[in-house]
Amino acid sequence: MKIKDIPKSSADLYKSLLAECKPNWNIEITIEDYNLYKLGFVEEIPCSISLNVSREEIYELQEEILNMEVTIYSYEDLLYKNPIDMTNDEKKTYKELKELEKRYNKFEPLERLFSYYLAINEKEN
């Protein structure tokens, strides 16, 4: 799988996120056209990301990230509840949800990247 035309800073972000959540995936960043950047036609160096993974693995990662979102928002009322009014179980659940929300916010850019990539490739095929 190759995702083209990504700014260098975004490619680096995606690579670090993937390395953290899927350390066994082989991820390579390739500089596409350094001259465009050097000549001032683009603000960042255009890159591509190459992943040696199947579509199923991509779908699994997307589903994992989306499940985080669903879990968080299925307990949305608890997230806005005053901690003083919470039971001990609710406080425990609240803490777990906050940790999950933090993880979701960190990895959510990957879900957007893959959704975009898969949508573009389905149109081309």
Side-chain angles (χ1 to χ4, degrees):
M1 174 175 139
K2 188 172 189 176
I3 304 171
K4 298 179 182 181
D5 298 323
I6 299 174
K8 177 89 168 90
S9 62
S10 296
D12 289 337
L13 171 67
Y14 297 138
K15 182 176 181 176
S16 70
L17 290 174
L18 285 167
E20 185 177 335
C21 72
K22 297 293 183 183
N24 58 331
W25 286 12
N26 184 20
I27 306 139
E28 293 181 25
I29 296 175
T30 306
I31 294 175
E32 292 295 321
D33 194 345
Y34 183 76
N35 289 328
L36 286 175
Y37 171 73
K38 192 174 170 182
L39 293 170
F41 291 115
V42 292
E43 291 183 25
E44 286 194 60
I45 301 168
C47 296
S48 64
I49 297 177
S50 298
L51 298 165
N52 191 14
V53 297
S54 68
R55 275 185 180 259
E56 289 75 28
E57 290 172 299
I58 297 294
Y59 289 136
E60 286 172 13
L61 178 57
Q62 273 189 299
E63 189 172 325
E64 183 181 325
I65 295 168
L66 289 172
N67 283 337
M68 286 184 221
E69 182 181 25
V70 168
T71 301
I72 292 164
Y73 292 108
S74 65
Y75 291 96
E76 189 174 27
D77 59 328
L78 184 60
L79 290 173
Y80 297 108
K81 189 173 182 179
N82 188 337
I84 295 172
D85 298 330
M86 290 183 193
T87 66
N88 286 337
D89 287 340
E90 287 176 328
K91 287 178 184 178
K92 182 181 175 187
T93 303
Y94 176 84
K95 184 178 178 182
E96 291 169 359
L97 286 171
K98 283 307 225 182
E99 290 172 13
L100 185 62
E101 184 177 40
K102 185 177 177 182
R103 183 170 167 77
Y104 167 74
N105 288 333
K106 182 176 191 176
F107 293 113
E108 192 268 337
L110 292 175
E111 197 282 323
R112 283 185 283 139
L113 171 71
F114 293 138
S115 291
Y116 174 77
Y117 170 78
L118 294 169
I120 295 297
N121 282 330
E122 287 177 9
K123 289 180 181 177
E124 291 177 357
N125 292 332

